[in-house]
Coordinates of all heavy atoms in Angstrom, one line a residue:
S295 N -45.0 -123.5 -72.8 CA -46.0 -123.4 -71.7 C -46.7 -122.1 -71.7 O -47.9 -122.0 -71.4 CB -45.2 -123.6 -70.4 OG -46.1 -123.6 -69.3
L296 N -45.9 -121.0 -72.0 CA -46.5 -119.7 -72.0 C -47.5 -119.5 -73.2 O -48.6 -119.0 -73.0 CB -45.3 -118.6 -72.1 CG -45.7 -117.2 -71.9 CD1 -46.2 -116.9 -70.5 CD2 -44.5 -116.3 -72.3
M297 N -47.0 -120.0 -74.4 CA -47.9 -119.8 -75.6 C -49.2 -120.6 -75.5 O -50.2 -120.2 -76.1 CB -47.1 -120.2 -76.8 CG -45.9 -119.3 -77.1 SD -44.8 -119.9 -78.4 CE -45.8 -119.7 -79.9
M298 N -49.1 -121.7 -74.7 CA -50.3 -122.5 -74.6 C -51.4 -121.9 -73.8 O -52.5 -122.3 -73.8 CB -49.9 -123.9 -74.0 CG -49.2 -124.8 -74.9 SD -50.1 -125.3 -76.4 CE -51.3 -126.3 -75.6
K299 N -51.0 -120.8 -73.1 CA -52.0 -120.1 -72.3 C -52.7 -118.9 -73.1 O -53.6 -118.3 -72.6 CB -51.4 -119.5 -71.1 CG -50.9 -120.6 -70.1 CD -50.1 -120.0 -68.9 CE -49.7 -121.1 -68.0 NZ -48.7 -120.7 -67.0
V300 N -52.2 -118.7 -74.4 CA -52.8 -117.6 -75.2 C -53.9 -118.2 -76.1 O -53.7 -119.2 -76.8 CB -51.7 -117.0 -76.1 CG1 -52.3 -115.9 -77.0 CG2 -50.5 -116.5 -75.3
P301 N -55.1 -117.7 -76.0 CA -56.2 -118.1 -76.8 C -55.9 -118.1 -78.3 O -55.1 -117.2 -78.7 CB -57.4 -117.2 -76.5 CG -57.0 -116.6 -75.2 CD -55.5 -116.5 -75.1
F302 N -56.4 -119.1 -79.0 CA -56.2 -119.3 -80.5 C -54.8 -119.8 -80.8 O -54.6 -120.7 -81.6 CB -56.4 -118.0 -81.3 CG -57.8 -117.5 -81.1 CD1 -58.1 -116.3 -80.4 CD2 -58.9 -118.2 -81.5 CE1 -59.4 -115.8 -80.2 CE2 -60.2 -117.7 -81.3 CZ -60.4 -116.5 -80.7
V303 N -53.7 -119.2 -80.1 CA -52.4 -119.7 -80.3 C -52.3 -121.1 -79.9 O -51.7 -122.0 -80.5 CB -51.3 -118.8 -79.6 CG1 -49.9 -119.4 -79.7 CG2 -51.3 -117.4 -80.1
D304 N -52.9 -121.4 -78.7 CA -52.8 -122.8 -78.2 C -53.5 -123.8 -79.2 O -53.0 -124.9 -79.4 CB -53.5 -122.9 -76.8 CG -55.0 -122.5 -76.8 OD1 -55.4 -121.8 -77.7 OD2 -55.7 -122.9 -75.9
D305 N -54.6 -123.4 -79.8 CA -55.3 -124.3 -80.7 C -54.4 -124.5 -82.0 O -54.3 -125.6 -82.5 CB -56.6 -123.7 -81.2 CG -57.7 -123.7 -80.1 OD1 -57.5 -124.5 -79.1 OD2 -58.6 -123.0 -80.1
F306 N -53.7 -123.4 -82.4 CA -52.9 -123.5 -83.6 C -51.7 -124.5 -83.3 O -51.4 -125.4 -84.1 CB -52.3 -122.2 -83.9 CG -51.3 -122.2 -85.0 CD1 -51.7 -122.3 -86.4 CD2 -49.9 -122.1 -84.7 CE1 -50.7 -122.4 -87.4 CE2 -49.0 -122.1 -85.7 CZ -49.4 -122.3 -87.1
L307 N -51.1 -124.3 -82.1 CA -50.0 -125.2 -81.7 C -50.4 -126.7 -81.6 O -49.7 -127.6 -82.0 CB -49.3 -124.7 -80.4 CG -48.6 -123.4 -80.5 CD1 -48.1 -122.9 -79.1 CD2 -47.3 -123.5 -81.4
L308 N -51.5 -126.9 -80.9 CA -52.0 -128.2 -80.8 C -52.3 -128.9 -82.1 O -52.1 -130.1 -82.3 CB -53.3 -128.2 -79.9 CG -53.0 -127.9 -78.4 CD1 -54.3 -127.8 -77.6 CD2 -52.2 -129.0 -77.7
G309 N -52.9 -128.1 -83.0 CA -53.1 -128.6 -84.4 C -51.9 -129.0 -85.1 O -51.8 -130.1 -85.7
K310 N -50.8 -128.3 -84.9 CA -49.5 -128.6 -85.5 C -48.9 -129.9 -84.9 O -48.4 -130.8 -85.5 CB -48.5 -127.5 -85.3 CG -48.7 -126.3 -86.1 CD -48.5 -126.6 -87.6 CE -48.7 -125.4 -88.5 NZ -48.6 -125.8 -89.9
I311 N -49.1 -130.0 -83.5 CA -48.7 -131.2 -82.8 C -49.4 -132.4 -83.3 O -48.9 -133.5 -83.6 CB -48.8 -131.1 -81.3 CG1 -47.8 -130.1 -80.8 CG2 -48.6 -132.4 -80.6 CD1 -48.0 -129.6 -79.4
K312 N -50.8 -132.3 -83.5 CA -51.6 -133.4 -84.0 C -51.1 -133.8 -85.4 O -51.0 -135.0 -85.6 CB -53.1 -132.9 -84.0 CG -54.0 -134.0 -84.5 CD -55.4 -133.5 -84.7 CE -56.3 -134.6 -85.2 NZ -57.7 -134.1 -85.5
E313 N -50.8 -132.8 -86.2 CA -50.3 -133.2 -87.6 C -49.1 -134.0 -87.5 O -49.0 -135.0 -88.3 CB -50.0 -131.9 -88.4 CG -51.2 -131.3 -89.1 CD -50.8 -130.0 -89.8 OE1 -49.7 -129.9 -90.3 OE2 -51.6 -129.0 -89.8
K314 N -48.2 -133.6 -86.6 CA -46.9 -134.4 -86.5 C -47.1 -135.8 -86.0 O -46.5 -136.7 -86.5 CB -45.9 -133.6 -85.6 CG -45.3 -132.4 -86.2 CD -44.0 -132.0 -85.6 CE -43.3 -130.9 -86.4 NZ -42.0 -130.6 -85.9
I315 N -48.0 -135.9 -85.1 CA -48.3 -137.3 -84.5 C -48.9 -138.1 -85.6 O -48.6 -139.3 -85.8 CB -49.3 -137.2 -83.3 CG1 -48.6 -136.4 -82.2 CG2 -49.6 -138.6 -82.8 CD1 -49.5 -136.1 -81.0
E316 N -49.9 -137.5 -86.4 CA -50.5 -138.3 -87.5 C -49.5 -138.7 -88.6 O -49.6 -139.8 -89.1 CB -51.6 -137.4 -88.1 CG -52.8 -137.3 -87.2 CD -53.9 -136.4 -87.7 OE1 -53.6 -135.5 -88.5 OE2 -55.1 -136.5 -87.3
I317 N -48.5 -137.8 -88.9 CA -47.5 -138.2 -89.8 C -46.7 -139.4 -89.3 O -46.3 -140.2 -90.1 CB -46.6 -136.9 -90.2 CG1 -47.4 -135.9 -91.0 CG2 -45.3 -137.4 -90.9 CD1 -46.8 -134.6 -91.1
T318 N -46.4 -139.4 -88.0 CA -45.7 -140.5 -87.4 C -46.3 -141.8 -87.7 O -45.7 -142.8 -87.9 CB -45.6 -140.3 -85.9 OG1 -44.9 -139.0 -85.6 CG2 -44.8 -141.4 -85.2
F319 N -47.7 -141.8 -87.7 CA -48.4 -143.0 -88.0 C -48.8 -143.2 -89.5 O -49.7 -143.9 -89.8 CB -49.7 -143.1 -87.1 CG -49.3 -143.2 -85.6 CD1 -49.5 -142.2 -84.7 CD2 -48.8 -144.4 -85.2 CE1 -49.2 -142.3 -83.4 CE2 -48.4 -144.5 -83.8 CZ -48.6 -143.5 -82.9
G320 N -48.1 -142.5 -90.3 CA -48.3 -142.7 -91.8 C -49.2 -141.6 -92.5 O -49.3 -141.6 -93.7
G321 N -49.8 -140.7 -91.7 CA -50.5 -139.6 -92.3 C -51.9 -139.9 -92.9 O -52.5 -139.0 -93.4
N322 N -52.4 -141.1 -92.7 CA -53.7 -141.5 -93.3 C -54.6 -142.1 -92.2 O -55.6 -142.7 -92.6 CB -53.4 -142.5 -94.4 CG -54.6 -142.7 -95.3 OD1 -55.4 -141.8 -95.5 ND2 -54.8 -143.9 -95.8
L323 N -54.2 -141.9 -90.9 CA -54.9 -142.6 -89.9 C -56.4 -142.1 -89.6 O -56.5 -140.9 -89.5 CB -54.1 -142.5 -88.6 CG -54.7 -143.3 -87.3 CD1 -54.6 -144.8 -87.6 CD2 -53.9 -142.9 -86.1
K324 N -57.3 -143.0 -89.6 CA -58.7 -142.6 -89.3 C -59.1 -143.1 -87.9 O -60.0 -142.5 -87.3 CB -59.7 -143.2 -90.3 CG -59.4 -142.8 -91.8 CD -59.7 -141.3 -92.0 CE -59.4 -140.9 -93.4 NZ -58.0 -140.8 -93.8
Q325 N -58.5 -144.2 -87.4 CA -58.8 -144.6 -86.1 C -57.7 -145.6 -85.6 O -57.3 -146.5 -86.3 CB -60.1 -145.3 -86.0 CG -60.4 -145.8 -84.6 CD -61.9 -146.0 -84.3 OE1 -62.6 -145.0 -83.9 NE2 -62.4 -147.2 -84.5
M326 N -57.3 -145.3 -84.4 CA -56.4 -146.2 -83.7 C -57.1 -146.9 -82.6 O -57.8 -146.2 -81.8 CB -55.1 -145.5 -83.1 CG -54.2 -146.4 -82.3 SD -52.7 -145.6 -81.7 CE -51.8 -145.4 -83.1
I327 N -57.1 -148.3 -82.5 CA -57.8 -149.0 -81.5 C -56.8 -149.6 -80.5 O -55.9 -150.4 -80.9 CB -58.6 -150.1 -82.1 CG1 -59.6 -149.5 -83.1 CG2 -59.4 -150.9 -81.0 CD1 -60.2 -150.6 -84.0
I328 N -56.9 -149.2 -79.3 CA -56.0 -149.7 -78.2 C -56.7 -150.8 -77.5 O -57.8 -150.7 -77.1 CB -55.6 -148.6 -77.2 CG1 -54.9 -147.4 -77.9 CG2 -54.8 -149.1 -76.1 CD1 -53.5 -147.8 -78.5

Side-chain angles (χ1 to χ4, degrees):
S295 181
L296 190 65
M297 292 170 75
M298 287 296 292
K299 291 173 183 170
V300 181
F302 303 113
V303 173
D304 60 339
D305 289 340
F306 174 77
L307 290 173
L308 289 174
K310 288 291 182 187
I311 290 169
K312 182 186 177 186
E313 273 178 38
K314 287 203 168 184
I315 298 171
E316 286 175 339
I317 289 167
T318 301
F319 292 110
N322 196 30
L323 185 65
K324 301 293 183 286
Q325 180 155 275
M326 178 180 283
I327 304 166
I328 298 293

